[in-house]
Amino acid sequence: MSILLCFATALMLFVSFLSYRKRHLQVARTMIYMMITASCYSLGYAFELVSGSLSGIKLSLQIEYLGIPFVSAFWLLLVFQFTGLGVQYRKWLSILVFCIPIATFLLHVTNDWHHLIYEAYIPNPNETIPLFITVKGPWYAVHAIYNYTILLLGILLFIPMYLRALPIIRKQIIVLILGAGAPMLFNIAYMFSKVIDLTPFGFAISGLVYAWGIFRFRLLRLTPLAYAKMFDTIRDGVILLDYEDQIVNYNHAAEEVFPELGQADSVPALGKDVLSACPDLLDRISDADYKDNRFPLQRFLHNRQCYFVCSLTYIYDTGNIPIGKMLMFNDITELKENEERLREKSERLLRLNTFKDKLFTVMAHDIRDPIALLVSLTELLGEEPADSDIASAEVFQEIRRQVRGTFHLVDNLLDWYRSQNGEVAFRPISWNLQQVVRQALSLAGARAGMKNIQIVEHIDERFTVNADKEMLDLIFRNLLSNAIKYTDIGGDIKLSASMADNQVTVSISDNGSGIDEETAELLRHDDMFFKEPGFASKEDGGDMRFGLVLTREFLRMHGGSLRFESLSGQGTTFLFTLPGTAGSEGIKEREGAVVRANESYTH
């Protein structure tokens, strides 16, 4: 028997070790204390059985009473922690539970003074185990009644939790009840026989049951209180139904979706009674094809239409037969409302975009054409002598300059709009670069002649570029227009090109006033447009940035790039690249074509 008790002690210490691995849980720590006190009881009784003297028996009883008074107390404390009862009064409950066990321990230590635990030790006349028969004192009865009371109280506390718990939690509760019931039954047998105390063997059975529960049912991993908190704090509504479609549990979020749950008399309740307001949902629940499902649900709650995404999941035990169902409700009302707001904003933006398109269409027809006519008229009037009235001539020239600048601004604005709106078609083919440049010079020659500007072109006739003709004309028109605009009277503009790695680099240089630092910084940014502060001359510009935006955008479409070099007061060079090729005979140096302007121009 002593060997068996030592084995039982080892088994209980093993359960303590398993619990120690989960020691971050309060329940696991309580299990450790309970198993250690039970092992003290078992080990002390093993020594008592082999002791041959009264002093040895008394020493063994001292070891036993390190555990006897406290085992039941720790078990009741474990019940409190497992069920989550009395959380706010846990400290005071612990003190009350341990008052009698502590008193019992102290009274046993001092038993020889008052004999409240054991009144006498009488030798066994049969000289068999036990060698001494103990005569119990009055406090022994108090302690026994106390132990049975708290054991029964713990079992009663488990009953309501068992009725509403999940299957896995029910199994854990059964394990804990069996672990407490085995020692109690053995102790009852001892109370009637008064011969051999088999209670420690009951604790050995408890150790086996607890070890089985730890390995098989995840005992001490997650307590029912943690399950309940997790269940109640889920933001999605959850309803659990059994195999008869009865609602056995639900969380607070589910009650927000179905207020009828809170009005049910009791749980379990028939799902068809509680969820009768949603017949489609009941049809899906009662479907017997055992397939998980996901579907939408709408309910009018809190004076607004609410939208949910429902998930129906079947719950299986260890086999293939479902034992229940789980309904989850994900509230997507706010998502739906945001979607509706976004749809309204999208429609509003569409209307504004349509208005913008109409506005540019009106600008194209009702603004551009009259301005173009004004430009033509001022060009014709500008050819007539105006020396008779110098003041009027200067005013007229200013009007002509402003009209021309406004026309270019509107023209560039419309070109930019068409490029952003996807209305500009990109159709690149091979073009002779020299011919394209000379065509652009013929159009810009009149403006250059007014300022007596000399334009020199050095483009090899063998260079060809793969480009869209309309875009290429716009690129040269904008760059030449800027060069003429900011080059002083009698200045020079040079065009040249070079070839490297199937890329043609075109350079347009002038000896004008250059670009000031403020404007250069703005040009380096990739903004849609800006009104430049005068482009070095400090005049009120405005159209230049649109032109360069278009130039840069069209060059990117060709796979090229645009950059510039400028020194204030010394001129500016714009360089851009385009894909191209050179003739098979290579590049030859030749004299460049010179465009000279002889027209007089009054500044």
Side-chain angles (χ1 to χ4, degrees):
M1 289 182 65
S2 297
I3 293 173
L4 289 175
L5 288 171
C6 289
F7 173 76
T9 301
L11 183 60
M12 286 181 280
L13 291 175
F14 175 67
V15 175
S16 299
F17 169 73
L18 295 178
S19 302
Y20 180 78
R21 295 167 63 182
K22 310 283 190 307
R23 61 188 180 278
H24 59 281
L25 296 174
Q26 193 176 35
V27 174
R29 293 196 296 270
T30 304
M31 178 68 78
I32 294 172
Y33 301 144
M34 185 174 71
M35 287 291 98
I36 289 176
T37 53
S39 63
C40 290
Y41 187 3
S42 179
L43 183 63
Y45 194 58
F47 290 155
E48 181 183 350
L49 292 177
V50 297
S51 297
S53 62
L54 181 59
S55 59
I57 290 176
K58 287 184 176 182
L59 179 59
S60 300
L61 286 171
Q62 295 292 351
I63 297 175
E64 291 177 47
Y65 269 82
L66 289 173
I68 289 176
F70 304 105
V71 176
S72 299
F74 278 120
W75 189 81
L76 184 61
L77 183 61
L78 185 143
V79 172
F80 287 148
Q81 295 169 350
F82 203 78
T83 58
L85 296 173
V87 176
Q88 62 272 31
Y89 307 110
R90 184 72 54 79
K91 180 179 179 181
W92 296 106
L93 287 174
S94 300
I95 294 174
L96 291 175
V97 167
F98 281 92
C99 283
I100 291 180
I102 292 173
T104 302
F105 174 76
L106 295 175
L107 289 175
H108 183 268
V109 171
T110 59
N111 185 71
D112 290 341
W113 299 346
H114 45 71
H115 303 287
L116 291 175
I117 304 292
Y118 298 110
E119 293 182 350
Y121 301 90
I122 302 173
N124 190 344
N126 298 325
E127 296 182 354
T128 58
I129 296 174
L131 296 179
F132 289 86
I133 299 173
T134 56
V135 179
K136 308 301 187 294
W139 189 261
Y140 189 93
V142 173
H143 174 61
I145 294 172
Y146 172 78
N147 277 343
Y148 286 120
T149 301
I150 62 174
L151 285 171
L152 290 173
L153 177 61
I155 294 173
L156 291 175
L157 291 176
F158 271 137
I159 292 176
M161 172 171 279
Y162 178 86
L163 295 176
R164 65 174 185 270
L166 297 172
I168 185 64
I169 301 300
R170 289 183 175 183
K171 293 171 183 178
Q172 293 180 0
I173 292 173
I174 291 174
V175 167
L176 291 173
I177 291 176
L178 289 177
M184 184 172 67
L185 293 175
F186 278 90
N187 189 260
I188 291 173
Y190 169 66
M191 296 298 290
F192 285 99
S193 66
K194 301 292 185 180
V195 180
I196 300 296
D197 187 2
L198 299 178
T199 306
F201 294 100
F203 284 114
I205 295 175
S206 298
L208 286 172
V209 171
Y210 290 148
W212 177 58
I214 289 172
F215 286 112
R216 181 65 178 83
F217 302 118
R218 295 178 292 177
L219 186 66
L220 304 182
R221 289 196 178 184
L222 197 62
T223 65
L225 178 61
Y227 272 111
K229 286 185 177 180
M230 178 184 67
F231 187 65
D232 285 334
T233 54
I234 294 176
R235 297 182 63 182
D236 294 340
V238 181
I239 297 177
L240 298 178
L241 301 101
D242 61 11
Y243 61 94
E244 295 179 340
D245 291 340
Q246 294 188 103
I247 298 175
V248 295
N249 205 352
Y250 60 88
N251 63 355
H252 295 304
E255 194 172 349
E256 291 291 328
V257 182
F258 288 95
E260 298 88 343
L261 291 169
Q263 300 169 5
D265 295 333
S266 61
V267 174
L270 286 175
K272 63 181 181 180
D273 295 336
V274 178
L275 308 177
S276 58
C278 298
D280 293 340
L281 179 61
L282 289 176
D283 291 340
R284 293 180 183 273
I285 293 174
S286 59
D287 193 0
D289 60 357
Y290 300 153
K291 291 183 179 179
D292 294 349
N293 201 353
R294 189 177 176 88
F295 51 91
L297 176 70
Q298 297 183 27
R299 295 212 70 190
F300 190 78
L301 301 169
H302 312 299
N303 297 321
R304 68 170 182 169
Q305 189 71 22
C306 297
Y307 301 87
F308 304 91
V309 174
C310 302
S311 300
L312 175 63
T313 306
Y314 284 85
I315 303 172
Y316 299 86
D317 195 0
T318 55
N320 296 323
I321 299 176
I323 61 173
K325 303 170 187 177
M326 179 175 66
L327 274 173
M328 292 190 69
F329 304 91
N330 182 18
D331 190 349
I332 60 170
T333 304
E334 186 174 351
L335 185 63
K336 281 284 187 179
E337 292 175 349
N338 290 336
E339 182 180 341
E340 186 63 29
R341 284 193 288 268
L342 286 174
R343 186 180 295 108
E344 292 176 358
K345 290 181 179 179
S346 178
E347 292 175 355
R348 191 180 305 116
L349 287 174
L350 183 61
R351 290 194 297 269
L352 290 173
N353 192 55
T354 303
F355 172 75
K356 178 202 69 175
D357 293 341
K358 292 181 179 179
L359 178 64
F360 275 99
T361 302
V362 170
M363 182 180 292
H365 294 284
D366 295 349
I367 298 179
R368 186 181 184 280
D369 293 344
I371 294 178
L373 179 60
L374 287 174
V375 171
S376 300
L377 292 174
T378 53
E379 293 291 345
L380 291 173
L381 293 174
E383 295 176 0
E384 298 179 0
D387 295 336
S388 59
D389 192 349
I390 300 301
S392 298
E394 291 180 354
V395 171
F396 174 76
Q397 295 298 338
E398 179 64 22
I399 292 173
R400 186 172 66 172
R401 188 178 69 83
Q402 292 292 341
V403 170
R404 185 189 299 113
T406 305
F407 173 73
H408 287 307
L409 173 62
V410 173
D411 205 26
N412 283 329
L413 179 63
L414 293 173
D415 287 337
W416 169 82
Y417 166 70
R418 287 195 294 269
S419 70
Q420 295 297 312
N421 207 33
E423 296 182 3
V424 177
F426 180 57
R427 301 184 181 92
I429 58 176
S430 294
W431 294 93
N432 183 276
L433 181 61
Q434 186 186 77
Q435 293 179 1
V436 174
V437 170
R438 289 186 175 180
Q439 182 180 357
L441 291 178
S442 66
L443 297 175
R447 288 192 61 195
M450 293 177 184
K451 298 178 69 173
N452 198 26
I453 294 174
Q454 178 176 278
I455 303 178
V456 180
E457 167 260 318
H458 290 282
I459 305 292
D460 193 276
E461 62 184 5
R462 295 174 178 81
F463 285 166
T464 60
V465 293
N466 191 37
D468 181 278
K469 184 61 166 58
E470 292 185 4
M471 294 185 182
L472 194 58
D473 288 342
L474 184 140
I475 291 170
F476 277 110
R477 184 173 74 240
N478 279 310
L479 294 179
L480 285 172
S481 176
N482 283 330
I484 294 170
K485 179 178 180 180
Y486 298 108
T487 300
D488 296 332
I489 296 174
D492 297 319
I493 297 176
K494 296 180 181 179
L495 283 83
S496 61
S498 60
M499 183 77 187
D501 298 329
N502 294 325
Q503 289 280 333
V504 176
T505 301
V506 181
S507 170
I508 300 178
S509 303
D510 64 68
N511 60 354
S513 55
I515 303 176
D516 59 84
E517 283 300 322
E518 184 180 358
T519 304
E521 185 64 27
L522 293 172
L523 285 173
R524 293 187 184 97
H525 293 165
D526 209 8
D527 298 330
M528 298 300 293
F529 62 88
F530 74 93
K531 190 174 179 68
E532 79 281 7
F535 204 62
S537 63
K538 300 302 179 182
E539 298 175 358
D540 185 18
D543 64 310
M544 176 275 302
R545 186 50 174 155
F546 270 116
L548 288 182
V549 168
L550 281 172
T551 301
R552 181 179 295 162
E553 188 67 24
F554 288 164
L555 287 171
R556 285 176 179 172
M557 293 174 66
H558 286 82
S561 61
L562 175 69
R563 68 182 189 276
F564 68 91
E565 300 170 357
S566 180
L567 291 175
S568 182
Q570 298 184 23
T572 303
T573 300
F574 277 93
L575 301 101
F576 64 89
T577 59
L578 287 170
T581 58
S584 59
E585 297 180 5
I587 301 173
K588 298 180 180 179
E589 293 292 334
R590 65 181 183 83
E591 290 295 328
V594 179
V595 177
R596 296 185 181 275
N598 298 319
E599 294 89 345
S600 61
Y601 177 71
T602 304
H603 184 64

